[in-house]
Amino acid sequence: MASKQSKHQATTGSQSKDGIRKPVRLTILAIIYTLFLAAAIAFHAQEGVQRLMEGPARICIWSLCFLLCLVYHKKRSSYRVAAEHTVLPPLTVILLVTGYFPDVAMFLIIVTIITSIITARSLKIGILRAGTTLVPILLIKILFANTSHVLSITINQHSVNAAFNPYQFQNWLLPLLIMTVAVPIVRLICDIVTFFFAQIPIRKAMHEYSLSHILAMALADLLAIVWIPEILEFANIGSDTATVLSVFMLALIAYSLLLMTVDTMSRLARSRSALKCIANVSDALPLPNQVPEETVVRRINRGLTRMRCFVSDANNLDKRGYSYRYSAPISTGSRQYYLAMERSIWNRPFTSTDETILLTCGEVLTESLRVNKEVTLLRTESETDALTGALTYRAFIGHLKSLQTENVHNLVAVVYFGVEHLRTVNGHYGRKIGNAVLRQWVCV
């Protein structure tokens, strides 16, 4: 007994120790990110303060534009500590093209931190997301180090139409292609570091990503800025860098609003699918007594696309390249199982609506099983004799009528028999023995 108690205390102690270590690790990482962000702000503070003193109204307007661009966030993973997609890469390229990055970098970093904290609703998680979002800027600055010299050539009428001009390709299109591939990889590496500090299993966390989503966002960012020369040609604004930056900002704000619209429409479509699934299950009520879970799964799959719902005996499936969501455990007395939902890492990511489907349909199935069990019990008690288990008179007559209804040619014979000397057995051996004799006769 003492050994069991000490073992339990040791297990509890290790769990509590892990529970303490996990926040401490994240806090250490958040402190590292905070120092990194503070150093970045301090590095650009002189240019930022000077630009603010020269044109405070313009800096405030540009900071507001940064905020509008960065308000859009799209989850890359179901884990809260993972980075989110933003329009920061094209915004950074635009600032480097116009040569304004050193002047407004401090305000860009501050706005990124603010938006990350607001969307995360947590100071620690917001700092982690902001650091992961800003890390690729170092790579982008290296890639576009000579881009400011390309600005005059980019605006030039003759070079705009020459989309594959060797100089323009080397200093513009090629860095964009490298950035499209490198930025998601850098953010993914930062996410892996965060998962390590948060003690989240790396393999399981990788399954929560949607590769098609990451690829689509990267291509969208690429297309958003690859047509900058065409935008400049259409605007016909000359070479004034402030005007060029304003045009870029307006185009990027329109791009951010477009992404927000697409995201909102996608969420509405997912909510509609969830309601459709729940309505399909509701239309099937009352569920059949035999394998009702198959009816629920079939109805859910009818309302979902690119996902698969099925019945699983375990809630720890780990198929390579797939991620899962599970309902609450459903028990039938002799068996316990789960409603599971499966998606490939190439498909759309899970959302809260998918978990709502499993939760609601699992509760409907559990309640249906309980009702079916109680109805079966009540029917058994009402149609059979408690002592012998034989049908009652009313149930027996109903059974005979059902036999005749099934086939009019059914020949039904009714045999009556009586138990003699049952009173003598009760009087001599007692009612318990008499009941046993009666049950034995009924079984025969």
Side-chain angles (χ1 to χ4, degrees):
M1 181 68 181
S3 61
K4 288 184 178 180
Q5 186 175 2
S6 61
K7 184 178 180 180
H8 173 72
Q9 291 176 351
T11 304
T12 307
S14 63
Q15 290 176 352
S16 62
K17 191 179 295 183
D18 291 340
I20 293 174
R21 191 187 308 133
K22 187 174 179 180
V24 167
R25 281 191 170 189
L26 273 183
T27 303
I28 293 175
L29 185 62
I31 292 174
I32 295 174
Y33 275 52
T34 302
L35 296 176
F36 161 73
L37 295 174
I41 294 175
F43 181 77
H44 298 285
Q46 182 177 357
E47 294 87 347
V49 173
Q50 182 178 356
R51 178 63 63 177
L52 180 63
M53 298 298 294
E54 293 176 357
R58 176 177 294 180
I59 290 299
C60 291
I61 293 175
W62 284 349
S63 299
L64 180 61
C65 292
F66 297 161
L67 182 62
L68 291 176
C69 293
L70 297 178
V71 160
Y72 168 77
H73 286 75
K74 179 71 174 177
K75 286 295 293 180
R76 290 159 42 88
S77 168
S78 301
Y79 287 100
R80 190 163 176 243
V81 294
E84 297 179 323
H85 173 264
T86 66
V87 293
L88 190 66
L91 177 59
T92 306
V93 172
I94 287 173
L95 293 176
L96 288 171
V97 166
T98 56
Y100 268 93
F101 184 84
D103 298 335
V104 298
M106 180 181 72
F107 308 100
L108 176 62
I109 296 172
I110 293 174
V111 170
T112 304
I113 296 173
I114 292 174
T115 54
S116 299
I117 293 175
I118 292 176
T119 56
R121 298 180 182 179
S122 168
L123 178 62
K124 184 188 301 183
I125 303 299
I127 291 295
L128 293 175
R129 288 183 181 175
T132 303
T133 302
L134 293 169
V135 161
I137 288 183
L138 299 175
L139 175 64
I140 296 174
K141 289 181 67 175
I142 296 174
L143 290 173
F144 294 90
N146 298 323
T147 306
S148 57
H149 301 292
V150 190
L151 180 59
S152 58
I153 299 179
T154 304
I155 299 177
N156 190 301
Q157 182 72 21
H158 299 288
S159 63
V160 169
N161 297 325
F164 293 99
N165 180 282
Y167 184 81
Q168 186 174 346
F169 178 82
Q170 180 180 356
N171 294 275
W172 181 249
L173 295 180
L174 185 59
L176 286 179
L177 293 174
I178 297 175
M179 183 200 74
T180 303
V181 177
V183 169
I185 294 177
V186 171
R187 288 183 176 176
L188 183 62
I189 294 174
C190 293
D191 281 346
I192 293 175
V193 173
T194 305
F195 294 149
F196 172 77
F197 276 84
Q199 295 183 343
I200 298 174
I202 303 298
R203 180 180 176 182
K204 184 177 180 181
M206 292 296 101
H207 289 175
E208 291 298 321
Y209 283 90
S210 174
L211 298 183
S212 59
H213 164 71
I214 295 176
L215 180 61
M217 291 294 100
L219 292 177
D221 286 347
L222 173 64
L223 294 177
I225 53 179
V226 76
W227 293 106
I228 284 181
E230 301 296 334
I231 295 175
L232 294 173
E233 179 188 12
F234 177 78
N236 194 19
I237 56 177
S239 58
D240 180 37
T241 53
T243 309
V244 171
L245 180 59
S246 299
V247 173
F248 286 173
M249 293 300 301
L250 291 175
L252 197 59
I253 290 174
Y255 169 64
S256 304
L257 294 177
L258 177 62
L259 291 181
M260 292 176 64
T261 302
V262 172
D263 182 52
T264 303
M265 297 300 294
S266 174
R267 291 180 182 274
L268 290 176
R270 298 286 290 274
S271 300
R272 181 182 177 184
S273 298
L275 292 175
K276 184 178 180 180
C277 290
I278 297 174
N280 288 339
V281 175
S282 301
D283 292 341
L285 296 176
L287 297 176
N289 292 332
Q290 299 295 328
V291 289
E293 61 275 8
E294 297 298 335
T295 301
V296 173
V297 166
R298 188 165 55 252
R299 295 287 179 134
I300 292 176
N301 285 325
R302 185 181 301 175
L304 288 180
T305 58
R306 294 179 292 175
M307 288 188 184
R308 183 173 73 95
C309 184
F310 60 96
V311 176
S312 173
D313 293 328
N315 64 343
N316 56 352
L317 301 177
D318 191 19
K319 184 178 178 181
R320 183 183 297 273
Y322 289 86
S323 57
Y324 298 89
R325 291 293 184 273
Y326 306 93
S327 67
I330 302 167
S331 178
T332 60
S334 59
R335 179 193 176 196
Q336 178 174 296
Y337 57 88
Y338 304 84
L339 293 180
M341 196 175 290
E342 178 188 73
R343 63 166 276 273
S344 167
I345 58 176
W346 284 102
N347 289 343
R348 65 188 189 187
F350 283 120
T351 62
S352 58
T353 56
D354 302 317
E355 299 176 358
T356 301
I357 292 174
L358 290 178
L359 177 63
T360 304
C361 294
E363 291 177 351
V364 170
L365 181 56
T366 301
E367 184 64 18
S368 178
L369 290 172
R370 185 189 67 81
V371 171
N372 288 340
K373 183 178 180 180
E374 291 185 358
V375 168
T376 302
L377 179 61
L378 291 174
R379 181 179 292 119
T380 302
E381 292 178 351
S382 63
E383 295 181 352
T384 58
D385 179 65
L387 176 60
T388 62
L391 292 175
T392 60
Y393 175 77
R394 180 177 297 177
F396 179 67
I397 296 300
H399 182 62
L400 291 179
K401 290 182 178 180
S402 66
L403 291 176
Q404 294 176 345
T405 303
E406 291 175 0
N407 191 344
V408 295
H409 301 292
N410 278 345
L411 299 178
V412 180
V414 180
V415 180
Y416 293 88
F417 63 91
V419 181
E420 296 182 354
H421 309 296
L422 183 60
R423 182 175 297 180
T424 304
V425 173
N426 287 336
H428 191 272
Y429 296 101
R431 291 187 178 275
K432 185 177 293 187
I433 300 299
N435 291 340
V437 171
L438 183 59
R439 282 194 295 268
Q440 186 67 26
W441 271 102
V442 171
C443 292
V444 173

